[in-house]
Amino acid sequence: MKNFTMVFGYYNDDFEITLETNYMYEATNEGEALSIASKLQGKECFSFQPFFAQKANKVMVRNSDNPYYDEVFVTEFKFYDETKGDYIQLDLGDGKFLYPCVNPICYVELDEIQFCEEITKYYKEKLLNNETLTFSSLSWGVKEVMHN
């Protein structure tokens, strides 16, 4: 058996974060882990509200009490930098194409300090009248947790 955890992607325009909890569960492989996670995903306790708090200059997460975990933390901070490349076109087959699609080379991983600096610059006008910026749910998945 292997240990897995769920990962959650959230975004606000060109800014993306990945959240994890300290909840782990066992599965024999990634397919089984996804099956278990899909049942857990429907539970209200895996619904988070991440936000950028301007005064604290930090990404924070609102979370409710639940029986599964007691910590939610940000594990990745990313920015989609359009200056790194053009949007791409995906060939769907049968002469059909999907455009514009995000270009993976445009994603830049940042540390928390850089992320907060960039989001503050990007939303300078919006943050004049608001203390927070919220992130919307983008995706979820699973990840194997390795123990030392």
Side-chain angles (χ1 to χ4, degrees):
M1 294 294 260
K2 299 175 182 178
N3 288 319
F4 287 87
T5 190
M6 294 171 65
V7 293
F8 303 87
Y10 282 81
Y11 77 101
N12 188 318
D13 287 335
D14 290 337
F15 294 89
E16 290 186 20
I17 56 174
T18 301
L19 300 179
E20 293 181 29
T21 69
N22 62 342
Y23 177 71
M24 287 187 278
Y25 59 95
E26 290 184 338
T28 55
N29 57 44
E30 188 173 316
E32 183 182 4
L34 281 167
S35 178
I36 294 168
S38 67
K39 292 173 186 150
L40 292 169
Q41 172 55 16
K43 298 183 183 294
E44 287 295 315
C45 60
F46 285 94
S47 177
F48 315 109
Q49 183 51 70
F51 61 97
F52 172 71
Q54 182 180 7
K55 286 182 181 177
N57 197 37
K58 185 175 177 97
V59 175
M60 303 173 92
V61 182
R62 282 188 194 95
N63 186 38
S64 58
D65 289 334
N66 66 81
Y68 295 97
Y69 57 91
D70 59 4
E71 284 184 69
V72 180
F73 42 93
V74 182
T75 57
E76 289 183 317
F77 298 89
K78 292 182 183 175
F79 175 67
Y80 189 81
D81 186 349
E82 294 178 3
T83 66
K84 300 259 183 227
D86 294 326
Y87 285 98
I88 59 174
Q89 177 175 290
L90 289 179
D91 185 347
L92 301 175
D94 296 334
K96 296 178 185 169
F97 296 91
L98 185 60
Y99 179 84
C101 298
V102 296
N103 188 336
I105 67 168
C106 294
Y107 281 103
V108 178
E109 288 198 36
L110 304 173
D111 64 28
E112 185 175 12
I113 293 169
Q114 293 168 321
F115 186 86
C116 293
E117 287 172 356
E118 289 300 316
I119 207 166
T120 300
K121 281 190 256 178
Y122 188 86
Y123 287 114
K124 186 176 183 176
E125 295 297 317
K126 201 173 197 179
L127 286 169
L128 290 175
N129 299 319
N130 297 308
E131 292 181 17
T132 63
L133 293 168
T134 59
F135 292 86
S136 299
S137 179
L138 178 64
S139 62
W140 64 270
V142 297
K143 157 178 139 173
E144 187 176 349
V145 179
M146 303 293 187
H147 291 282
N148 296 338

